[in-house]
Amino acid sequence: MRRILHSVKRLARIMRRWMLCWPAKQYKSNREGGERMIPKTKVSVVIPFYNCPYVDLAVKSVLAQSYPDIELIVVDDGSTRYMEKLEAYKDNIVYIRKTNGGTASALNMGIKAASGAYFAWLSADDLFHPDKIKRQMEAIRSSGTSFSHTAYYYINELGERFSGVISMPFHNRGDLIETMMSGCPVNGSSVLLDMEIFNKVGRFNEKFLYTQDYDLWLRILPHYEWSYIEEPLLDYRVHKEMGSVIHSEAQNREIALVQSRHQGILTQLLRKERGK
């Protein structure tokens, strides 16, 4: 009897751990015309790659995730350098090469090729922490939200952290909307979202070379609730070759364009949220 009881308790512990990796359910018809539940577990991580010397480190950080059901897609956006850094990982990734078209076009190609129910983006110079995907899938499942983002650290060219936790929690949805109208606190590499969102609002706008993420978040915001993890689960690399440094003036012009494009809708959304 004691052995049986011990076995039952052990099985229960295993089932609890397994259920943490079963964040949501979708329904499909079976042959008898009824419905059966199947788990939505797979996460497709897309790394857009263009001449980045850190791309192998980004790939390693995804392959080292504690979450078991991950598909890694690397989209080479017409690189002329550092492609050899991916050779050792070709058996463990989906590798797609395309002509150069910018980050948004690379992300969209990765999304089109993805087979996962969830999408995560990792810039080729950034790093996921080992439990990043697992923690976000748990958060989405427990909160019932479709969009998750996290806190992070700054790292330098050597991978050394030189900041405290970069975190911006929001006390309510109104505060989030108001902040998003004036700037973008959401780090793209920290985001995980349900693929169904793209069917609702579309994919990244390829006309935006530097603010394709900001534009997409503002399109998502009116339709979906977000969850935020204050725990840092990403290392965001700051270096002299990063696009936001080289193209800062063009980026600022795009930010103003994106904000003006969404100003009306977000103003109405904020008024509704504030009860005005």
Side-chain angles (χ1 to χ4, degrees), residues 173-174 177 222 264-276:
R173 183 166 166 80
I177 295 167
I265 292 175
L266 293 178
T267 298
Q268 292 178 10
L269 187 65
L270 181 61
R271 287 175 178 168
K272 181 179 179 181
E273 195 67 31
R274 301 292 195 201
K276 295 180 180 180

Short mmCIF file of all heavy atoms in Angstrom, two decimals, residues 173-174 177 222 264-276:
data_model
loop_
_atom_site.label_atom_id
_atom_site.label_comp_id
_atom_site.label_asym_id
_atom_site.label_seq_id
_atom_site.Cartn_x
_atom_site.Cartn_y
_atom_site.Cartn_z
N ARG A 173 -4.08 49.35 -17.01
CA ARG A 173 -4.04 49.41 -18.47
C ARG A 173 -3.99 50.85 -18.97
O ARG A 173 -3.36 51.14 -19.99
CB ARG A 173 -5.25 48.67 -19.03
CG ARG A 173 -5.30 48.59 -20.55
CD ARG A 173 -6.33 47.57 -21.01
NE ARG A 173 -6.64 47.68 -22.42
CZ ARG A 173 -5.89 47.20 -23.39
NH1 ARG A 173 -4.77 46.56 -23.11
NH2 ARG A 173 -6.26 47.32 -24.66
N GLY A 174 -4.63 51.76 -18.26
CA GLY A 174 -4.60 53.16 -18.67
C GLY A 174 -3.18 53.71 -18.66
O GLY A 174 -2.79 54.44 -19.58
N ILE A 177 -1.34 52.36 -21.75
CA ILE A 177 -1.73 53.05 -22.98
C ILE A 177 -1.10 54.42 -23.06
O ILE A 177 -0.55 54.82 -24.10
CB ILE A 177 -3.27 53.15 -23.06
CG1 ILE A 177 -3.90 51.76 -23.17
CG2 ILE A 177 -3.69 54.01 -24.26
CD1 ILE A 177 -5.40 51.74 -22.94
N PRO A 222 -5.07 47.88 -28.69
CA PRO A 222 -6.52 48.06 -28.53
C PRO A 222 -7.31 46.77 -28.44
O PRO A 222 -8.46 46.78 -27.99
CB PRO A 222 -6.92 48.84 -29.79
CG PRO A 222 -5.66 49.47 -30.29
CD PRO A 222 -4.59 48.49 -29.95
N GLY A 264 -5.06 58.88 -32.80
CA GLY A 264 -6.50 58.97 -32.66
C GLY A 264 -7.10 57.76 -31.97
O GLY A 264 -7.89 57.89 -31.02
N ILE A 265 -6.74 56.58 -32.41
CA ILE A 265 -7.29 55.35 -31.83
C ILE A 265 -6.89 55.20 -30.37
O ILE A 265 -7.71 54.85 -29.52
CB ILE A 265 -6.82 54.13 -32.65
CG1 ILE A 265 -7.45 54.15 -34.05
CG2 ILE A 265 -7.18 52.83 -31.93
CD1 ILE A 265 -6.96 53.05 -34.96
N LEU A 266 -5.63 55.49 -30.08
CA LEU A 266 -5.16 55.33 -28.71
C LEU A 266 -5.76 56.37 -27.77
O LEU A 266 -6.00 56.09 -26.59
CB LEU A 266 -3.63 55.38 -28.67
CG LEU A 266 -2.92 54.22 -29.38
CD1 LEU A 266 -1.41 54.41 -29.33
CD2 LEU A 266 -3.30 52.88 -28.75
N THR A 267 -6.01 57.58 -28.28
CA THR A 267 -6.66 58.61 -27.47
C THR A 267 -8.07 58.16 -27.07
O THR A 267 -8.47 58.30 -25.91
CB THR A 267 -6.73 59.94 -28.24
OG1 THR A 267 -5.40 60.40 -28.52
CG2 THR A 267 -7.45 61.00 -27.42
N GLN A 268 -8.81 57.61 -28.02
CA GLN A 268 -10.15 57.10 -27.73
C GLN A 268 -10.08 55.94 -26.74
O GLN A 268 -10.90 55.84 -25.82
CB GLN A 268 -10.82 56.64 -29.02
CG GLN A 268 -11.16 57.76 -29.99
CD GLN A 268 -11.78 57.23 -31.27
OE1 GLN A 268 -12.13 56.05 -31.38
NE2 GLN A 268 -11.90 58.10 -32.25
N LEU A 269 -9.09 55.07 -26.94
CA LEU A 269 -8.93 53.92 -26.04
C LEU A 269 -8.61 54.37 -24.62
O LEU A 269 -9.17 53.83 -23.65
CB LEU A 269 -7.81 53.03 -26.57
CG LEU A 269 -7.57 51.69 -25.86
CD1 LEU A 269 -8.78 50.77 -26.05
CD2 LEU A 269 -6.32 51.01 -26.41
N LEU A 270 -7.77 55.38 -24.49
CA LEU A 270 -7.41 55.89 -23.16
C LEU A 270 -8.60 56.54 -22.48
O LEU A 270 -8.83 56.35 -21.28
CB LEU A 270 -6.25 56.86 -23.29
CG LEU A 270 -5.73 57.46 -21.97
CD1 LEU A 270 -5.22 56.35 -21.06
CD2 LEU A 270 -4.62 58.48 -22.24
N ARG A 271 -9.37 57.33 -23.22
CA ARG A 271 -10.57 57.96 -22.66
C ARG A 271 -11.54 56.91 -22.15
O ARG A 271 -12.14 57.07 -21.07
CB ARG A 271 -11.23 58.85 -23.71
CG ARG A 271 -10.49 60.14 -24.00
CD ARG A 271 -11.14 60.90 -25.14
NE ARG A 271 -10.46 62.16 -25.40
CZ ARG A 271 -10.67 62.91 -26.48
NH1 ARG A 271 -11.57 62.51 -27.39
NH2 ARG A 271 -10.00 64.03 -26.65
N LYS A 272 -11.72 55.86 -22.92
CA LYS A 272 -12.62 54.78 -22.52
C LYS A 272 -12.10 54.10 -21.25
O LYS A 272 -12.87 53.80 -20.34
CB LYS A 272 -12.75 53.75 -23.65
CG LYS A 272 -13.68 52.61 -23.35
CD LYS A 272 -13.77 51.66 -24.54
CE LYS A 272 -14.68 50.48 -24.23
NZ LYS A 272 -14.75 49.54 -25.38
N GLU A 273 -10.80 53.88 -21.19
CA GLU A 273 -10.19 53.22 -20.05
C GLU A 273 -10.28 54.07 -18.79
O GLU A 273 -10.49 53.57 -17.69
CB GLU A 273 -8.71 52.90 -20.35
CG GLU A 273 -8.08 51.92 -19.42
CD GLU A 273 -8.66 50.52 -19.54
OE1 GLU A 273 -9.10 50.14 -20.63
OE2 GLU A 273 -8.67 49.82 -18.50
N ARG A 274 -10.16 55.39 -18.96
CA ARG A 274 -10.24 56.31 -17.83
C ARG A 274 -11.68 56.67 -17.45
O ARG A 274 -11.91 57.40 -16.49
CB ARG A 274 -9.48 57.60 -18.14
CG ARG A 274 -8.00 57.46 -18.47
CD ARG A 274 -7.19 57.01 -17.28
NE ARG A 274 -5.75 57.23 -17.51
CZ ARG A 274 -4.80 56.61 -16.85
NH1 ARG A 274 -5.10 55.70 -15.93
NH2 ARG A 274 -3.52 56.86 -17.11
N GLY A 275 -12.63 56.20 -18.26
CA GLY A 275 -14.02 56.47 -17.96
C GLY A 275 -14.45 57.87 -18.29
O GLY A 275 -15.36 58.43 -17.65
N LYS A 276 -13.82 58.49 -19.29
CA LYS A 276 -14.15 59.87 -19.65
C LYS A 276 -15.01 59.90 -20.91
O LYS A 276 -14.96 59.02 -21.72
CB LYS A 276 -12.85 60.67 -19.89
CG LYS A 276 -12.00 60.81 -18.63
CD LYS A 276 -10.75 61.60 -18.91
CE LYS A 276 -9.89 61.75 -17.67
NZ LYS A 276 -8.65 62.53 -17.93
#
